[in-house]
Amino acid sequence: MIWYPYEQMKTMKDPYKIVDAKGVYLYTKDNQMIDSVSSWWSVIHGYKHPVLTQAIKEQADIFSHVMLGGLTHEPVQRLSDKLAEWLPGDLNYCFFSDSGSVAVEVALKMALQYYMNQGDRQRTMTLSLTHSYHGDTFKTMEVGDDEDYHFVLEAFGEKKYVVNIPTEIQALEEAFEKYHDKLNCMLVEPLLQGAGGMRMYDVSFLKRARELCDQYGVLLIFDEVATGFGRTGNRFVADLVLPDILVLGKALTGGYIGHAATIANEKVYRGFYDDDPEKALMHGPTFMGNALACSVAQKSIELFETENYMEKIRKIEAVTRREMEGFQDDRIADVRMMGGCVCVEVKNREDLKGYQEYAYQRGVFARPFLNYLYAMVPYIIKEDELIQVLDTMKEWFKK
């Protein structure tokens, strides 16, 4: 029996059974739906893209996977070189893993050991944001601040190694003043906080964070698992403010296969580069650098570059603003838009009960959570398809 995610198995309704998928559409036996959430924000090129499918097939004909322990291969070398060339600044050193959550774990481990390698064992704390979500593994749960997902940690009592602050510059400055000599890193979802409620904030907060990290010798980590590859309207938020460590996942492979990367700058990498074997990063996911994943990721990046995806994203945002600007209802607390994301926050989560089936009957797959009805569509979506998604959201409040 399948144990489904984020569901009470005793009371959950039957999931929609997908028999095919192509472009922006998911197909059940008797319906077709526009996937308005891109399979948890990852399928940016749509389903069954011929270029990506061919990349998987060609690599599978050679080999699908070999471990990176004592071995290497061309697909992982090509992807590493491409990311180093493509990313801003000196984000050149790629450590691969098999999911975004694990990639954040690696980043946190890097930050802690970076200082331990220098003999500093006092910097044991992480500065993170309120309403943050970085994954469901234990350390990512600890640094996050989302009780709806991570209430299980209440069993451990008060957090000792994490400080969570709102996205306010005063709170940021106060935290650094109080904890700067204990912090090894500041970890953020830049500009857009995903599972914590599609919360959006200004880049000035990140610029000040960069200044304070530099002032006090703290590493800055951007979790761009959700925000990377254009979702905020920027290619990467790291293009605006440069972190020391960047975490990528989800859209890295176009949603074809699980893979993630923790990418460090020169300073962080040099903190491990030593004759002493104890200063090595002792981490190694079995499927890191998977050849299928690396092959499809490289092709995904090529599509993003050659088919002008930033222009596609700008059009998605323009159409979304045109269709949603000024949309109001007494049940709505806020409507937020940024790049390829739109969120309608309601005052009472009960007001979204039944929306998924309502959307299904109108040819849209949606997955609202808590108080949030949102869309993060594939970037290949056509204008009329996007309007269908947005109209379905608006019509829900008219019934």
Side-chain angles (χ1 to χ4, degrees), residues 68 72-87 91-96 263 289 294 298 301:
L68 284 192
T72 193
H73 52 81
E74 187 177 346
V76 74
Q77 291 174 336
R78 285 201 312 262
L79 179 58
S80 298
D81 291 345
K82 183 60 183 177
L83 287 170
E85 168 203 324
W86 205 48
L87 294 173
L91 292 167
N92 295 332
Y93 299 95
C94 302
F95 190 97
F96 294 105
I263 304 152
C294 290
Q298 188 180 10
I301 292 170

Side-chain angles (χ1 to χ4, degrees), residues 4 37 52 64 78 82 86 88 115 133 167 196 206 212 242 263 283 289 305 326 339 346 369 374:
Y4 287 93
V37 299
L52 302 185
S64 294
R78 285 201 312 262
K82 183 60 183 177
W86 205 48
Y115 291 100
Y133 174 93
T167 53
L206 297 175
L212 290 166
L242 190 64
I263 304 152
H283 203 93
E305 286 183 302
V346 297
F369 64 100
Y374 76 96

Side-chain angles (χ1 to χ4, degrees), residues 79-224:
L79 179 58
S80 298
D81 291 345
K82 183 60 183 177
L83 287 170
E85 168 203 324
W86 205 48
L87 294 173
D90 61 343
L91 292 167
N92 295 332
Y93 299 95
C94 302
F95 190 97
F96 294 105
S97 54
D98 43 12
S99 74
S101 181
V102 174
V104 175
E105 293 271 356
V106 171
L108 292 167
K109 191 171 180 179
M110 276 183 184
L112 177 62
Q113 189 177 340
Y114 173 80
Y115 291 100
M116 288 184 65
N117 282 357
Q118 299 175 48
D120 187 345
R121 294 175 178 265
Q122 305 305 311
R123 289 184 178 267
T124 57
M125 298 184 70
T126 298
L127 182 61
S128 185
L129 303 180
T130 54
H131 307 293
S132 58
Y133 174 93
H134 297 284
D136 294 332
T137 51
F138 263 75
K139 191 63 180 180
T140 60
M141 287 196 295
E142 183 188 33
V143 296
D145 182 50
D146 198 323
E147 293 179 358
D148 290 293
Y149 292 94
H150 302 151
F151 60 85
V152 66
L153 289 188
E154 292 174 5
F156 292 102
E158 185 179 355
K159 296 179 181 180
K160 297 180 180 179
Y161 301 107
V162 179
V163 178
N164 297 108
I165 61 169
T167 53
E168 300 166 3
I169 290 178
Q170 182 178 345
L172 174 68
E173 292 174 340
E174 290 173 354
F176 268 92
E177 184 176 352
K178 185 174 181 179
Y179 299 107
H180 62 87
D181 59 340
K182 298 180 180 66
L183 295 172
N184 60 62
C185 71
M186 180 176 181
L187 168 67
V188 299
E189 300 162 274
L191 297 186
L192 172 64
Q193 295 180 267
M198 304 299 164
R199 299 169 188 270
M200 302 169 186
Y201 61 96
D202 191 74
V203 71
S204 60
F205 179 86
L206 297 175
K207 290 179 178 179
R208 185 61 179 139
R210 178 70 274 177
E211 292 172 351
L212 290 166
C213 285
D214 289 341
Q215 179 180 343
Y216 292 111
V218 176
L219 298 179
L220 181 60
I221 303 173
F222 278 7
D223 175 358
E224 293 219 51

Side-chain angles (χ1 to χ4, degrees), residues 229-250:
F229 297 94
R231 192 56 72 177
T232 67
N234 305 284
R235 196 183 64 137
F236 300 97
V237 184
D239 289 330
L240 306 180
V241 177
L242 190 64
D244 298 293
I245 301 173
L246 176 65
V247 184
L248 301 179
K250 290 189 183 293

